[in-house]
């Protein structure tokens, strides 16, 4: 079963597995229909390339075939997991950029809605204003506007936005817009309240990050700074005794 699972991930036989990979690639910013095929091709190429590299060392330099066989197995595992690791890192970085750009988008949306623009026009205007500073969020809002223009429902387009980004704050924001639009409540007021709560979350996240940074600095300080301080203090006494 453990062997069958990686093989099924490498060459998915179900549409569900392929859809999951396509969703991850969309969250990383790769929207092409051939993105999943390219990802699989890279994965297969690395699975073949790493063992070939290690076995080439055996044929050129000699040595224990068993060691090179073990290295080849590790190469296969590395070739399989390395693309997925890189993909997850790209998704995390892109989601972080979208999260940081959401606060500015909310402020602009409040101004646009209070100026008399409808929700569709406000989304279009906000997307244009974010083109320079927050490119990822601009591209996502552009897709929302394009989906609405081709006739897709606004609620469906907004939910697709949440699925493409995978950001929790975007999901909450989309749910807020859908409820406000469905029940006819004030969009500007709802967005303003959500923007305030988002700022509070960002402040709490910054405080948590600062607290974690203090813990992460303990090891570098203990390993590198304290020995130097002890050396500076004790070295003059040792030299004086000589």
């Amino acid at each position: 079963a453990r062997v069958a699972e990686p093989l099924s991930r490498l060459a998915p036989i179900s549409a569900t597995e392929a859809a999951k990979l396509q969703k991850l690639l969309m969250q990383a910013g790769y929207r092409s229909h051939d993105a999943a095929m390219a990802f699989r091709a890279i994965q297969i190429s690395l699975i073949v390339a790493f063992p070939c590299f290690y076995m080439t060392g055996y044929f050129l330099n000699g040595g224990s075939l068993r060691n090179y066989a073990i290295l080849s197995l590790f190469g296969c595992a590395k070739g399989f997991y390395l693309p997925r690791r890189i993909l997850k890192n790209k998704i995390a970085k892109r989601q972080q950029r979208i999260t940081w750009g959401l606060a500015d988008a909310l402020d602009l949306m409040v101004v646009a809605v209070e100026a008399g623009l409808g929700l569709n026009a406000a989304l279009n205007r906000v997307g244009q204003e974010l083109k320079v500073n927050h490119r990822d969020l601009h591209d996502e809002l552009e897709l929302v506007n394009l989906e609405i223009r081709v006739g897709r429902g606004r609620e469906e387009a907004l939910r697709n936005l949440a699925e493409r980004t995978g950001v929790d704050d975007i999901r909450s924001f989309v749910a807020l817009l859908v409820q406000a639009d469905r029940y006819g409540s004030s969009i500007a007021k709802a967005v303003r309240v959500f923007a305030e709560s988002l700022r509070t979350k960002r402040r709490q996240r910054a405080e948590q990050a600062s607290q974690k940074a203090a813990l992460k600095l303990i090891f570098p300080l203990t390993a590198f700074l304290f020995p130097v301080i002890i050396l500076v203090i004790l070295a003059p006494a040792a030299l004086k005794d000589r």
Side-chain angles (χ1 to χ4, degrees):
R2 294 181 178 178
V3 177
E5 184 177 358
L7 290 177
S8 64
R9 291 182 180 179
L10 184 60
I13 58 176
S14 64
T16 303
E17 196 70 27
K20 289 180 180 179
L21 177 58
Q22 189 69 32
K23 182 179 178 180
L24 291 175
L25 291 169
M26 289 179 63
Q27 291 177 359
Y30 302 105
R31 304 186 185 88
S32 174
H33 294 289
D34 299 330
M37 186 181 299
F39 180 83
R40 292 301 186 189
I42 293 172
Q43 208 170 21
I44 294 173
S45 299
L46 291 178
I47 289 174
V48 175
F50 282 121
C52 290
F53 174 77
Y54 291 124
M55 293 307 296
T56 302
Y58 167 74
F59 288 114
L60 293 178
N61 302 324
S64 175
L65 179 61
R66 180 181 178 182
N67 294 336
Y68 281 102
I70 294 174
L71 288 176
S72 298
L73 291 177
F74 280 112
C76 288
K78 184 177 180 180
F80 176 77
Y81 287 106
L82 183 60
R84 286 184 170 271
R85 182 65 179 177
I86 295 175
L87 180 61
K88 289 181 179 179
N89 290 337
K90 285 184 174 293
I91 292 173
K93 291 179 180 179
R94 188 170 186 269
Q95 288 178 343
Q96 186 178 13
R97 293 195 300 268
I98 291 175
T99 302
W100 284 107
L102 182 59
D104 295 337
L106 293 175
D107 294 336
L108 292 172
M109 183 166 290
V110 171
V111 175
V113 173
E114 289 182 345
L117 296 178
L119 182 56
N120 294 347
L123 290 173
N124 189 17
R125 183 63 179 177
V126 170
Q128 294 176 0
E129 294 295 332
L130 297 176
K131 186 175 183 179
V132 177
N133 295 327
H134 303 287
R135 185 73 186 186
D136 296 304
L137 189 55
H138 159 77
D139 294 339
E140 294 297 337
L141 292 178
E142 281 292 317
L143 284 177
V144 173
N145 294 320
L146 287 175
E147 288 181 351
I148 294 175
R149 288 174 187 173
V150 298
R152 183 164 293 178
R154 184 163 56 193
E155 180 176 346
E156 184 180 358
L158 291 173
R159 295 192 184 279
N160 290 338
L161 169 65
E163 290 296 324
R164 285 195 307 269
T165 58
V167 180
D168 293 334
D169 293 334
I170 294 289
R171 295 181 188 276
S172 301
F173 176 61
V174 167
L176 176 70
L177 290 181
V178 170
Q179 290 181 358
D181 187 34
R182 182 179 299 175
Y183 297 108
S185 58
S186 175
I187 295 178
K189 183 178 180 180
V191 173
R192 186 183 295 108
V193 172
F194 184 81
E196 292 177 357
S197 65
L198 182 62
R199 292 191 186 93
T200 303
K201 287 182 180 179
R202 290 180 63 178
R203 185 169 59 251
Q204 292 175 351
R205 290 171 183 170
E207 292 175 354
Q208 291 177 359
S210 63
Q211 294 174 359
K212 292 180 180 178
L215 294 175
K216 293 178 181 179
L217 286 174
I218 292 177
F219 177 75
L221 290 175
T222 305
F224 301 105
L225 184 59
F226 290 160
V228 175
I229 294 176
I230 294 173
L231 180 63
V232 171
I233 294 174
L234 298 181
L239 294 175
K240 185 177 180 180
D241 292 339
R242 289 184 181 182

